Amino acid sequence: GKGHFVLDEFDLSHFVNQAKLRAPDQCKLTIDTQAHLAPVQASRRQMQQLLETLVENAGEAIADKATAGGEIEITVTQTLLTESDLADAQFETNARPGSYVVLEVSDNGSGMEEELIPRIFDPYFSTRFTGRGLGLAAVQGIVRGHDACLFLGTAVGQGTKIRIAFPAADASTEQYRSPKFPHPDKVLIVDDESPVLDVARNYLEEIGINVLTADTANKALELVERHGNSIEVMILDYLMPDKTGLELLDKIAQEIEVDTYLTSGFSRGEISDPDIRCLLTGFIAKPFNREELQGLFKSDQTQ
């Protein structure tokens, strides 16, 4: 639940329908999603991992039962959950009563004994062969990291149903600031790791952006003093030895007006902090790839 990821707001039904999921051997995979649901704020990477893990586990449960006609069904719906409903969740999270978008994965596999249920989310616990057992532990981490909640129904010989409820995104939730410079000419990148600076510079120069780099906050301030208003965007590492990225932003914002993207490893609670979000144009998690970094600025006209 303390994993590092960046959140996007998206339609979970659409995401599930577009996800590349492969049904295990001799299993029929059915997807049934409702349209026009509220969006969720989630990590696309983690949601893909979640789906793949649940489908894989369902397939293994069906294989354990060793009967023909294995079926796995994925559904996405929306519901209201009360405090009483949340009390039935499999483990405690920061979930609160309200509107939720529910991802459900069910199978007609072997099911589980009741006494095993409290242990299935423990790392390395497995009812199968040695070396397995991280799948559901990862699921638990993803659920906790999204302030979601998980409900489990299972019985020996009767299959398993896992329901994961994600908070519906509130339209009034404060978002990042809109960019003033969506296609900047000059970007300042500040990070105390030289490899990150080199990679980020190469990625942005590929799409025609002029890049300045600094590996300390003091060097960054010197560059701001030298280049002034020609710097339109900053990409700041959150944790640096001399100052945090937010402390540096506080100083620079007094001198020039810039769009600011923070980069680091953040949990959901930190990145959702409105006192942080209102200062930023966006956030990008490390390690980032070419598409993610260029995607902050790349337009149809950019080659």
Side-chain angles (χ1 to χ4, degrees):
K2 297 184 182 297
H4 297 166
F5 51 89
V6 63
L7 301 176
D8 292 320
E9 188 170 298
F10 57 90
D11 183 324
L12 186 56
S13 287
H14 179 74
F15 181 86
V16 170
N17 284 317
Q18 296 298 313
K20 296 179 180 179
L21 299 172
R22 187 177 64 181
D25 293 341
Q26 299 178 339
C27 292
K28 178 184 177 182
L29 177 61
T30 303
I31 297 176
D32 182 12
T33 62
Q34 291 183 1
H36 310 299
L37 302 183
V40 297
Q41 285 191 336
S43 160
R44 294 175 186 270
R45 289 182 178 179
Q46 300 246 342
M47 291 303 298
Q48 182 69 31
Q49 179 185 353
L50 182 74
L51 284 166
E52 291 174 355
T53 298
L54 294 179
V55 170
E56 180 182 6
N57 276 21
E60 290 175 349
I62 290 170
D64 288 345
K65 192 175 181 181
T67 58
E71 296 182 0
I72 301 171
E73 183 176 15
I74 301 174
T75 64
V76 180
T77 57
Q78 186 168 349
T79 190
L80 291 173
L81 295 180
T82 65
E83 287 189 11
S84 177
D85 296 326
L86 295 173
D88 293 330
Q90 192 60 39
F91 44 80
E92 185 177 353
T93 68
N94 292 325
R96 297 291 181 266
S99 180
Y100 283 79
V101 178
V102 181
L103 170 69
E104 180 178 300
V105 179
S106 60
D107 66 70
N108 62 346
S110 58
M112 287 177 281
E113 295 88 349
E114 186 175 352
E115 58 269 21
L116 292 179
I117 294 176
R119 300 183 59 195
I120 64 173
F121 296 98
D122 293 345
Y124 298 111
F125 175 78
S126 178
T127 59
R128 301 186 180 94
F129 53 84
T130 303
R132 301 303 296 275
L134 280 179
L136 288 179
V139 166
Q140 182 185 52
I142 294 169
V143 171
R144 288 188 186 278
H146 287 80
D147 289 347
C149 52
L150 183 148
F151 304 90
L152 174 67
T154 186
V156 174
Q158 298 182 26
T160 298
K161 180 184 295 183
I162 292 180
R163 298 173 64 237
I164 302 176
F166 294 90
D170 185 347
S172 66
T173 299
E174 187 171 5
Q175 300 299 310
Y176 293 117
R177 295 168 53 182
S178 297
K180 293 182 178 295
F181 307 100
H183 312 302
D185 177 65
K186 185 174 290 185
V187 172
L188 170 62
I189 306 172
V190 187
D191 198 296
D192 62 319
E193 299 180 70
S194 295
V196 173
L197 292 177
D198 292 340
V199 168
R201 178 201 290 274
N202 291 338
Y203 287 167
L204 294 186
E205 286 181 344
E206 285 180 2
I207 57 173
I209 294 176
N210 296 308
V211 178
L212 301 172
T213 61
D215 57 7
T216 68
N218 287 335
K219 288 182 182 178
L221 291 171
E222 291 174 6
L223 288 171
V224 169
E225 185 176 354
R226 192 181 313 157
H227 294 270
N229 290 325
S230 67
I231 298 173
E232 297 170 315
V233 172
M234 296 190 302
I235 299 175
L236 304 180
D237 184 22
Y238 176 64
L239 291 177
M240 294 180 289
D242 47 353
K243 279 184 174 63
T244 69
L246 293 176
E247 289 171 338
L248 179 58
L249 172 61
D250 185 55
K251 282 186 169 293
I252 293 176
Q254 298 175 27
E255 305 295 328
I256 60 175
E257 185 177 21
V258 291
D259 291 339
T260 304
Y261 296 86
L262 206 62
T263 178
S264 187
F266 267 91
S267 73
R268 181 182 190 278
E270 290 167 312
I271 198 63
S272 296
D273 186 338
D275 291 333
I276 294 178
R277 294 177 70 93
C278 69
L279 300 173
L280 303 174
T281 311
F283 174 83
I284 182 168
K286 291 195 291 188
F288 47 76
N289 59 34
R290 175 183 280 103
E291 289 74 19
E292 289 168 334
L293 189 62
Q294 293 179 348
L296 298 177
F297 313 115
K298 198 169 184 180
S299 70
D300 294 337
Q301 290 74 38
T302 304
Q303 298 299 321

